[in-house]
Amino acid sequence: MSALTVLPDGSRAESVEDNNVLESLRRHGTILTSPCGGEGTCGKCRIRVEEGSVNAPTPQERGLLGAALDAGDRLACQTTVQSDATVRIPASSRVPNVRVLTGGAPREVPFFPNVRRRTFTWERERLTDVESLVDAVAGMLDARADLRVDLPVVRELATGLEYGKTYEATIIGDRLVAVAPEAAAADPLGVALDLGTTTVVAQVVNLTTGEAVGTDSRMNDQSRFGSDVIARINHCFTEDHGLGELQDAVLSTIKECMAASGVDPSHVYEAVAVGNTTMMHLLAGISPESLGQLPYTPVMRAGVDVPASDFPMPFSDAASVHLMPGIAGYVGADTVAAMLAAGYDEEYDGVRLLADIGTNCELVLQRGAEIVACSTPAGPAFEGARLEHGMLAGPGAIERVTIGDTCEIRVVGRGEPSGICGSGVVDVTAQLLEAGIIEMTGRLVSGEDIPESLSDDIRDRIQSTEYGPIFVVARRDDGETVHVTQRDIRETQLAKAAVRTGIDTLLHSMDIRAADIDELLIAGGFGSYLNTANARRLGMIPDIDDEKIKYIGNAAIVGARLALISSEMRARGEELSRRVKHVQVALLPSFQDRFAEAMLFE
Ligand code: FES
């Protein structure tokens, strides 16, 4: 086993069994960006080996790093140490503290959670004329006839209750799960969980008052196995314990969220979890292999209640976890939750489109009571994963770009730029198009094709490299640039074409014109920072007036919370999931033509 000195902080890490640097750093708590899951194909886990002996560069590193290998640059996932070594981690390789949306537009719903508290006084005289103590307590609680009593409570009834004393009973659905003296019983808590591929959000709610009492969000620890669901599914295919590793990773993220939220987890009696269909399978420990191949049929779709101890989750021993229903293999419970948050359970007088744009883009179109939904694989460009200088929307990410006589940028956290995130990519592509630096086909111009009308500063930013032309978005103090390449533009084109093809397909399926859309609801982290004028310019969304566009934030967590505090909303979510008509966009004969058309810029 070798020791690694990690710069710039000088901390010491121990190498893992096979001496892989990426994994050694992870165990040490230094998490590097690794969207390809350590396959050596994304080039994002770059480090510099300053001292020590390491393995020879792999073919992947030769392809991705080229001349930088001579300076000592390596890919952490491809590097194994053969002695004690010193490695330097550039800021651009570290996973940033990602900006996560933890809330959205609230909606008034009847407060009637599945977890309820009832007070009763244990009276000797109520024990006559009943068949059992269990029947007696059910009578004192005025509970439903089918009330079931958990065995620990039955034991408590046998010996633990004092006549004349008042108790608090905790009921989950039709189960009496706990009885405690009135003064000792803290309010029951519930947790809404939004399990995203990139991030996890946990919102703790007091189930007596409905108030949110703690929220935490963090990177999904599964990210180290790859940035998208396909990489996670492949991990289950290819590794013996892949499914278990992925389940453990998301459970440990939930535990960290709970620890950070500052509440006593033993007071949590119910969690409602939403996420895309792959995330829901992984949480439940169900192999998602069927989601990795046509026709992408999920193993489960309906909502289920599972004892928290089955996972296990760090809640009360009696707690239950409700997994919300999904719609299809790539339209998951998070979309059902977002629909609840947006009021899709009610008839709508007009036409509205809900769009949650991310690595996977989910779209739901409603006219009256009729609802159709689809998903399209936008790919990782909007999360920066496959772009040369792409990054998640954390400190250092360029999130806004305006091109005029010069190129103005806005950086998350206002510091030095270290990369560009999804909203910045949309901006820069649209602005380059507007300036004539990108053609309709997506070609980045160079040489004499550069429009003469451009300022000297902008012309200087169009540079030729051995890999083709690039546009320099920003220059850093250390002399490095943050730029976009022709390949980045192609990735953005693919992503925007996927979104637009999905929208056009849904509109066509209901025979609706884009002009007839009364409301475009944009949900999710990426969408909330999207400049819609630039998205329109790219043709990613149709020509819809700004006043018809509403940002509804993290609608998935809002919907999960609604299902947590209202049994009625939970039932409506179940009903919605069955009622929505799912369209498999990529399997339609029109798909290729529509996609090819959407690839072009207007
Ligand atoms: Fe190392 Fe992708 S190249 S994680």
Side-chain angles (χ1 to χ4, degrees):
M1 193 171 287
S2 308
L4 278 173
T5 303
V6 184
L7 299 179
D9 64 7
S11 59
R12 302 266 287 176
E14 297 230 313
S15 68
V16 292
E17 213 167 279
D18 66 0
N19 295 316
N20 177 276
V21 173
L22 183 69
E23 183 59 16
S24 307
L25 290 171
R26 188 187 74 75
R27 297 258 179 97
H28 170 60
T30 304
I31 313 291
L32 303 196
T33 313
S34 52
C36 73
E39 295 291 319
T41 55
C42 70
K44 297 287 183 191
C45 63
R46 194 184 274 223
I47 55 168
R48 179 160 292 185
V49 179
E50 300 209 337
E51 267 179 38
S53 168
V54 293
N55 63 321
T58 63
Q60 290 100 312
E61 289 178 291
R62 286 187 212 290
L64 284 165
L65 298 178
L69 279 169
D70 298 336
D73 282 8
R74 297 292 303 265
L75 298 178
C77 68
Q78 301 294 300
T79 306
T80 53
V81 288
Q82 295 164 345
S83 69
D84 289 356
T86 300
V87 295
R88 182 173 292 278
I89 318 292
S92 55
S93 294
R94 288 178 189 264
V95 170
N97 293 324
V98 182
R99 185 171 57 185
V100 184
L101 278 182
T102 56
R107 178 183 170 193
E108 296 272 315
V109 296
F111 181 66
F112 191 73
N114 193 39
V115 176
R116 296 176 310 283
R117 269 283 159 79
R118 292 272 186 283
T119 305
F120 69 97
T121 304
W122 189 234
E123 293 162 343
R124 187 192 290 269
E125 48 275 26
R126 300 281 297 263
L127 303 187
T128 53
D129 298 335
V130 289
E131 304 293 332
S132 67
L133 297 191
V134 167
D135 292 336
V137 82
M140 289 176 211
L141 290 171
D142 207 10
R144 48 199 274 182
D146 60 351
L147 184 78
R148 295 179 294 130
V149 182
D150 279 11
L151 192 55
V153 181
V154 177
R155 293 193 182 115
E156 184 80 7
L157 294 180
T159 57
L161 304 194
E162 281 178 42
Y163 294 118
K165 206 166 168 181
T166 303
Y167 293 90
E168 294 272 17
T170 305
I171 300 167
I172 306 176
D174 62 355
R175 286 169 54 216
L176 173 58
V177 300
V179 169
E182 191 180 27
D187 281 352
L189 303 176
V191 187
L193 294 168
D194 172 25
L195 311 175
T197 313
T198 307
T199 52
V200 169
V201 180
Q203 193 168 81
V204 187
V205 177
N206 181 318
L207 293 178
T208 301
T209 64
E211 278 173 334
V213 293
T215 298
D216 187 62
S217 62
R218 54 194 58 231
M219 287 286 290
N220 186 340
D221 191 35
Q222 289 180 349
S223 300
R224 62 194 158 92
F225 300 105
S227 65
D228 56 32
V229 294
I230 300 301
R232 315 265 171 96
I233 293 169
N234 285 341
H235 188 74
C236 293
F237 268 127
T238 53
E239 301 295 324
D240 284 348
H241 304 293
L243 175 59
E245 287 179 317
L246 287 161
Q247 189 188 27
D248 288 349
V250 71
L251 288 172
S252 82
T253 311
I254 292 169
K255 280 179 196 145
E256 286 168 21
C257 285
M258 291 309 299
S261 67
V263 300
D264 182 342
S266 70
H267 296 155
V268 173
Y269 284 94
E270 190 170 56
V272 170
V274 302
N276 63 54
T277 308
T278 303
M279 286 300 113
M280 299 300 275
H281 278 54
L282 294 176
L283 173 70
I286 299 169
S287 169
E289 287 186 16
S290 65
L291 299 172
Q293 53 210 357
L294 276 168
Y296 312 118
T297 309
V299 178
M300 65 163 189
R301 197 181 70 96
V304 288
D305 292 298
V306 187
S309 53
D310 276 11
F311 290 96
M313 280 205 199
F315 305 142
S316 146
D317 293 343
S320 173
V321 178
H322 178 70
L323 308 180
M324 274 187 71
I327 294 168
Y330 284 87
V331 186
D334 49 355
T335 302
V336 173
M339 288 163 67
L340 271 185
Y344 269 63
D345 52 306
E346 291 173 351
E347 229 169 87
Y348 180 69
D349 185 17
V351 174
R352 62 178 167 180
L353 176 67
L354 169 66
D356 188 343
I357 305 168
T359 310
N360 193 50
C361 170
E362 291 96 19
L363 300 158
V364 192
L365 184 65
Q366 180 180 29
R367 177 177 54 193
E370 199 183 351
I371 306 174
V372 290
C374 74
S375 70
T376 54
F382 295 144
E383 298 204 336
R386 221 175 282 155
L387 310 180
E388 174 126 348
H389 287 145
M391 63 181 286
L392 291 166
I398 297 172
E399 59 168 341
R400 280 273 170 273
V401 181
T402 311
I403 296 175
D405 284 343
T406 184
C407 178
E408 286 172 24
I409 59 169
R410 193 172 81 197
V411 177
V412 179
R414 304 289 189 265
E416 264 248 287
S418 40
I420 185 160
C421 65
S423 58
V425 167
V426 168
D427 276 9
V428 73
T429 311
Q431 298 279 298
L432 289 173
L433 189 62
E434 194 61 29
I437 301 169
I438 294 178
E439 295 175 342
M440 202 179 115
T441 57
R443 187 176 83 91
L444 197 53
V445 298
S446 58
E448 52 198 37
D449 292 339
I450 299 173
E452 285 183 4
S453 56
L454 296 176
S455 71
D456 290 347
D457 176 62
I458 296 298
R459 293 173 70 86
D460 280 353
R461 291 170 184 263
I462 307 168
Q463 298 179 0
S464 295
T465 72
E466 57 180 307
Y467 306 108
I470 61 169
F471 181 81
V472 174
V473 183
R475 298 186 176 89
R476 293 166 44 87
D477 290 346
D478 61 8
E480 299 282 324
T481 61
V482 176
H483 55 255
V484 290
T485 66
Q486 180 66 70
R487 216 188 80 180
D488 296 345
I489 303 293
R490 293 281 177 237
E491 290 286 343
T492 310
Q493 258 178 300
L494 287 168
K496 77 102 182 175
V499 175
R500 186 57 187 267
T501 304
I503 294 174
D504 288 350
T505 303
L506 284 193
L507 290 172
H508 185 258
S509 75
M510 275 196 180
D511 202 13
I512 292 172
R513 294 173 310 141
D516 296 333
I517 295 176
D518 298 297
E519 216 172 38
L520 170 59
L521 305 172
I522 298 184
F526 167 67
S528 294
Y529 298 99
L530 185 67
N531 178 322
T532 45
N534 284 332
R536 266 196 304 264
R537 180 67 190 89
L538 291 186
M540 184 163 115
I541 58 173
D543 208 0
I544 297 172
D545 293 344
D546 272 342
E547 59 269 23
K548 293 182 176 176
I549 299 177
K550 274 193 202 155
Y551 296 96
I552 58 171
N554 184 342
I557 193 74
V558 174
R561 185 173 160 189
L562 294 177
L564 181 66
I565 63 168
S566 168
S567 300
E568 165 73 16
M569 295 307 288
R570 192 178 299 190
R572 287 190 189 196
E574 188 71 49
E575 194 265 330
L576 259 181
S577 75
R578 288 193 298 267
R579 185 154 63 86
V580 174
K581 183 173 167 228
H582 176 240
V583 179
Q584 283 260 39
V585 176
L587 299 187
L588 295 176
S590 57
F591 172 73
Q592 293 296 349
D593 288 346
R594 240 187 217 127
F595 190 84
E597 195 180 319
M599 275 292 283
L600 296 177
F601 291 118
E602 289 164 14

